[in-house]
Amino acid sequence: HLMKVLKQGSESKAVQIRLRNKVTGLLTDGGGAVTGVRVSYSEGEYEINAKAVVIATGGFGANAALITRLRPELNGFPTSNHSGATGDALSWIDGVRADTLQMNFIQTHPTGEKSSHILITEAVRGNGAILVNKDGERFTNEMIPRDELSGAILGQRGRSAYIVFGKSVRQSLAVIENYIMQGLVVQGETAGQLATAAGLPSGALAGTIAEYNASQASGIDGKFGRAAIDMPRQIDAPYYCIEIEPVIHHTMGGIRIDDRARVLRKDGTPVPGLFAAGEVTGGMHGDNRLGGNAIADIVVFGRIAGAEAAGVE
């Protein structure tokens, strides 16, 4: 939805959108100010001269080599990011001596669908789903922070788990219909049928669902301490599940900017003509971004960067 609105807004202002044109570096004058970009495309290369450049290229969650160098323990992790999230802009800024910070702050999301790595929103758990392991048993409070939950899932056999929910949760969240249409969801009229379809022990899964429903009814999760407010619904028939595993989701580190979205050098001075906003920047979120805050980041600093760039003489 955001991309659709931005595209329509840009087109209404006659902004050029150049698809399949790849920026390969920054242009500078003799004094170190940024004066445009170098671009490559199918027919060769060219340059765009500009009074200012805004870098808004996103994070580097799909750059496996960089992720591994920064965080060796994440070697081999899949990602929920698109294939272009490779952090190319981080190499562009070397020539202007720009700084980066918190590059090792990399967030995993606990619930990426096992095969496609499509992100399964936290709202599924928030609306009442539980997690079970390959033995059909709960193993954690499903509402703990993302990094902790990722660790709990990785500690299970096969390093994966299943999100289990029922009809009431499905009816509460429209996005689940998308997951079903994408073929990500296993279904069963009974707990036993669901277990058979998913390859889980039927008796164990049925017992886990019954135990959780008793906890939900009483408002007390004696086993893992999930708060009553976080158990809004029973898991009722028909039943559904999605196999999930942790995926690399957001990179909190990146280019250092100030409150005017100006890119800063290592000595703290701004690079003339260069601005940045969004996930390509660092220092906004700390070491574990809260869900939704990246939208505030891109909207607030995108607006600031645009206004500052427009004012460059």
Side-chain angles (χ1 to χ4, degrees):
H1 176 72
L2 288 172
M3 294 302 291
K4 180 179 179 181
V5 170
L6 290 170
K7 182 174 184 289
Q8 291 173 342
S10 298
E11 290 173 343
S12 73
K13 302 292 185 183
V15 172
Q16 292 185 32
I17 300 175
R18 300 188 180 184
L19 304 178
R20 301 184 185 277
N21 282 237
K22 181 178 180 178
V23 174
T24 59
L26 302 174
L27 302 177
T28 59
D29 64 12
V34 172
T35 58
V37 293
R38 290 190 299 274
V39 183
S40 68
Y41 73 126
S42 59
E43 297 183 19
E45 299 180 349
Y46 64 95
E47 296 179 352
I48 298 176
N49 296 306
K51 293 180 179 179
V53 171
V54 177
I55 299 176
T57 52
F60 56 91
N63 189 330
L66 181 56
I67 294 285
T68 301
R69 179 164 63 81
L70 294 167
R71 294 276 300 277
E73 73 275 18
L74 297 179
N75 182 32
F77 263 57
T79 180
S80 63
N81 291 190
H82 64 89
S83 59
T86 51
D88 294 13
L90 297 171
S91 64
W92 306 344
I93 64 173
D94 288 343
V96 293
R97 304 192 312 279
D99 198 14
T100 59
L101 74 164
Q102 299 176 347
M103 290 291 291
N104 64 325
F105 288 3
I106 299 168
Q107 182 184 71
T108 59
H109 194 292
T111 56
E113 195 275 330
K114 175 71 173 177
S115 299
S116 67
H117 307 136
I118 291 172
L119 200 68
I120 307 302
T121 176
E122 291 172 315
V124 180
R125 285 175 284 125
N127 283 25
I130 61 173
L131 292 179
V132 304
N133 57 25
K134 291 183 182 295
D135 296 319
E137 299 173 346
R138 284 181 74 208
F139 54 90
T140 188
N141 178 341
E142 293 82 0
M143 302 307 294
I144 58 178
R146 287 176 174 177
D147 54 345
E148 295 178 29
L149 188 55
S150 292
I153 293 169
L154 293 174
Q156 304 306 304
R157 180 163 57 89
R159 296 167 63 88
S160 67
Y162 296 80
I163 298 178
V164 177
F165 56 95
K167 178 179 71 174
S168 296
V169 172
R170 176 182 177 179
Q171 292 175 338
S172 74
L173 198 60
V175 71
I176 290 175
E177 303 308 315
N178 292 335
Y179 301 149
I180 291 173
M181 287 188 292
Q182 291 171 302
L184 308 181
V185 181
V186 177
Q187 308 182 33
E189 290 299 317
T190 66
Q193 289 178 2
L194 178 67
T196 298
L200 299 173
S202 58
L205 182 62
T208 294
I209 291 173
E211 182 180 44
Y212 175 79
N213 283 342
S215 297
Q216 191 276 339
S218 69
I220 300 173
D221 178 16
K223 204 163 190 178
F224 297 107
R226 183 165 170 170
I229 195 172
D230 290 331
M231 298 188 292
R233 294 173 180 85
Q234 293 268 301
I235 299 177
D236 50 356
Y239 302 99
Y240 309 89
C241 74
I242 303 171
E243 187 174 7
I244 52 88
E245 65 179 351
V247 294
I248 292 168
H249 183 51
H250 195 96
T251 50
M252 283 76 71
I255 299 170
R256 186 187 296 273
I257 61 172
D258 63 11
D259 60 1
R260 294 169 57 185
R262 299 181 298 180
V263 173
L264 301 180
R265 299 187 181 100
K266 297 182 186 300
D267 63 5
T269 60
V271 178
L274 187 60
F275 304 86
E279 193 177 350
V280 75
T281 65
M284 299 299 157
H285 303 289
D287 66 357
N288 192 20
R289 177 187 66 93
L290 294 176
N293 277 6
I295 300 299
D297 182 14
I298 63 172
V299 171
V300 172
F301 280 95
R303 181 82 175 179
I304 291 171
E308 289 285 338
V312 173
E313 296 297 333

